Amino acid sequence: MKSIQLSIILSLTTCSLAFAQIGINTSTPLSTLDINAKNPIGTASEIDGILVPRIDRQRAQSMTAIPISTLIYVTTIATGTQTGTAVNIDTPGYYYYTGTSWIKLNPSVNMYTSNGTLSSFRSVTTNGNPINFVNGTTTAGIISTETEGGFSANGSVRGTVSLSSETNTVNTYAEHGNATQLNVAGTTPKFSMGTTNSTPLVLKTNNSEQLTLLSNGNVGMGTNVPNTALELTSGTANTSGLRLTNLTSATPIAAGQALGVDAAGNVVTVANPSPTNVSTFSVNSITEANFNVNDLTATVVSGTSQSITIPTGGKALFINCMLGIDYISTPVGSGTAYYEARLYIDGVATDCYMRAQEVGISTNVFFSINTIKFLAAGNHTIDVRMQRTFNNGTNSGANMLCTPISMSFNASYLN
């Protein structure tokens, strides 16, 4: 047997010297060592292949002066330690020597213990299963189904989604026992939230829409179809829904225009009320001319006629008349007649009057008239007229000569 082995070695050596290439199962080797399978095709049961040295990890760790590219197969890692030249030997398999350590042939990269670099786009098909990253009770997950794609961050105290760019961050917190927040930090010049199409922006509470911003800029509170730049709908009749907490009825009056509402509820400016003043028309006299009174016509009391101009919009006129009359003559006939003093406006008798009975010659009587009358805008005339309303024995048409002994006739309105 030894002579046969020696013959093979000599034969190989001879081939090496002659051709500098060795072929096994081939007479025309294509490289330094060219091994062909004895049965390259078919159903033969004989074994073809190469067996490299098979050792345990301790043996690989104990080798010294190992040439680069040495190839071994580690059968077990139950022996030796993962240190020194065996620092990468963590599983059975093929290893080659790099000059400093044994490296696994075609090693599998474990994302839990090794970093890696993608050389191109990668896609993970989840088949509807979420991908979760779990640390105790904290979970961050990616949800991917046929109808939903989402990200979930769940913590026993806080769930957070954070976006950042250099010094700027946007953080969303859902915190146990505290307010849910959306915060912006950093040096960003603006925080913009909204839509890029004509879709309205809506805020809701208790699953009910409370504030709406339309694409035209109209804002509605209590309505989702605002017709003006800002429209409030309180939902309660005769209540605006707008309250100015620091501006009340006790606030001192300042210069400016007053506000009101039109028939549609729009807030409009209205004219400020002018300071109230009294416009008065007055006659006060004790020297007016005598005049005759009978039962046939109403005679204007001398000195009572006044012209009054009423401004636009009309005014309520406050009228007060105090008239003292002295009867001078004795009309034809007998008995004591009745005399009336009545207010006239624009020559038309009003329902404001006073009657008194004659009591004899050189006697006097007092008439008092007080009323409020609304007059339309324009020019008007007011006066007091007297007439005998009941002859009581006095001949009809007979005159009673009267002398005013006192007269105060005032008419006034508020501006």
Side-chain angles (χ1 to χ4, degrees):
M1 182 66 179
K2 289 181 180 180
S3 61
I4 295 174
Q5 291 176 340
L6 181 59
S7 298
I8 295 174
I9 292 173
L10 291 174
S11 175
L12 291 174
T13 301
T14 302
C15 292
S16 175
L17 292 174
F19 304 105
Q21 290 180 319
I22 298 174
I24 298 177
N25 294 327
T26 177
S27 59
T28 57
L30 301 177
S31 63
T32 304
L33 176 61
D34 186 357
I35 303 174
N36 283 356
K38 187 176 182 180
N39 300 291
I41 59 175
T43 58
S45 60
E46 290 85 358
I47 297 174
D48 280 310
I50 298 175
L51 284 176
V52 301
R54 288 153 286 171
I55 58 176
D56 63 6
R57 180 167 61 182
Q58 187 174 35
R59 178 72 180 86
Q61 192 173 22
S62 302
M63 292 184 189
T64 60
I66 309 168
I68 293 175
S69 80
T70 299
L71 181 67
I72 61 173
Y73 183 89
V74 176
T75 59
T76 177
I77 61 171
T79 59
T81 58
Q82 195 174 345
T83 58
T85 58
V87 67
N88 298 313
I89 301 178
D90 55 357
T91 59
Y94 288 98
Y95 289 84
Y96 65 94
Y97 195 72
T98 64
T100 56
S101 63
W102 294 102
I103 298 298
K104 187 178 296 184
L105 192 64
N106 293 327
S108 60
V109 178
N110 187 333
M111 64 176 291
Y112 296 102
T113 60
S114 303
N115 295 325
T117 301
L118 295 179
S119 60
S120 62
F121 176 80
R122 294 291 184 270
S123 177
V124 177
T125 301
T126 65
N127 290 325
N129 298 309
I131 299 176
N132 289 332
F133 300 88
V134 181
N135 182 14
T137 59
T138 300
T139 303
I142 299 174
I143 303 168
S144 177
T145 68
E146 292 182 357
T147 58
E148 179 183 4
F151 178 80
S152 173
N154 181 20
S156 59
V157 175
R158 174 187 286 183
T160 304
V161 176
S162 180
L163 305 175
S164 63
S165 174
E166 295 184 353
T167 61
N168 300 317
T169 61
V170 177
N171 294 316
T172 302
Y173 301 114
E175 194 164 33
H176 176 68
N178 203 347
T180 299
Q181 304 175 48
L182 175 62
N183 297 324
V184 177
T187 59
T188 179
K190 182 187 295 185
F191 175 48
S192 177
M193 180 173 62
T195 67
T196 58
N197 54 18
S198 60
T199 302
L201 178 63
V202 177
L203 295 179
K204 66 181 182 179
T205 61
N206 197 27
N207 203 33
S208 178
E209 296 181 356
Q210 303 294 347
L211 188 146
T212 301
L213 172 60
L214 300 183
S215 60
N216 62 2
N218 287 357
V219 177
M221 301 178 67
T223 175
N224 56 10
V225 285
N227 295 305
T228 59
L230 176 61
E231 182 173 346
L232 281 73
T233 303
S234 69
T236 302
N238 302 317
T239 301
S240 68
L242 176 64
R243 174 178 294 178
L244 304 176
T245 304
N246 295 321
L247 186 65
T248 67
S249 57
T251 301
I253 297 174
Q257 286 186 285
L259 297 180
V261 291
D262 63 14
N266 297 306
V267 177
V268 295
T269 57
V270 296
N272 287 330
S274 301
T276 301
N277 58 70
V278 180
S279 296
T280 302
F281 305 87
S282 177
V283 176
N284 294 283
S285 177
I286 58 173
T287 61
E288 295 299 326
N290 294 346
F291 58 91
N292 288 310
V293 178
N294 58 47
D295 62 323
L296 300 180
T297 60
T299 303
V300 176
V301 177
S302 179
T304 63
S305 181
Q306 300 183 59
S307 295
I308 298 175
T309 300
I310 300 297
T312 301
K315 291 292 181 180
L317 200 65
F318 298 85
I319 299 174
N320 175 266
C321 181
M322 303 290 292
L323 179 63
I325 297 296
D326 194 3
Y327 295 124
I328 301 300
S329 64
T330 301
V332 178
S334 62
T336 54
Y338 289 81
Y339 292 87
E340 172 190 281
R342 183 181 291 266
L343 175 68
Y344 278 71
I345 298 178
D346 296 330
V348 179
T350 69
D351 58 354
C352 186
Y353 65 93
M354 182 177 177
R355 290 176 181 174
Q357 187 177 15
E358 172 198 342
V359 293
I361 300 301
S362 297
T363 59
N364 50 61
V365 65
F366 289 92
F367 297 94
S368 178
I369 299 174
N370 296 279
T371 188
I372 299 175
K373 294 296 182 181
F374 183 85
L375 299 186
N379 297 321
H380 300 273
T381 300
I382 64 172
D383 56 55
V384 176
R385 304 184 185 189
M386 286 188 65
Q387 186 173 4
R388 189 165 56 240
T389 57
F390 181 54
N391 287 322
N392 198 25
T394 301
N395 291 346
S396 175
N399 290 325
M400 168 65 83
L401 182 62
C402 298
T403 297
I405 59 176
S406 66
M407 181 176 60
S408 175
F409 185 27
N410 301 303
S412 58
Y413 60 82
L414 301 180
N415 281 333

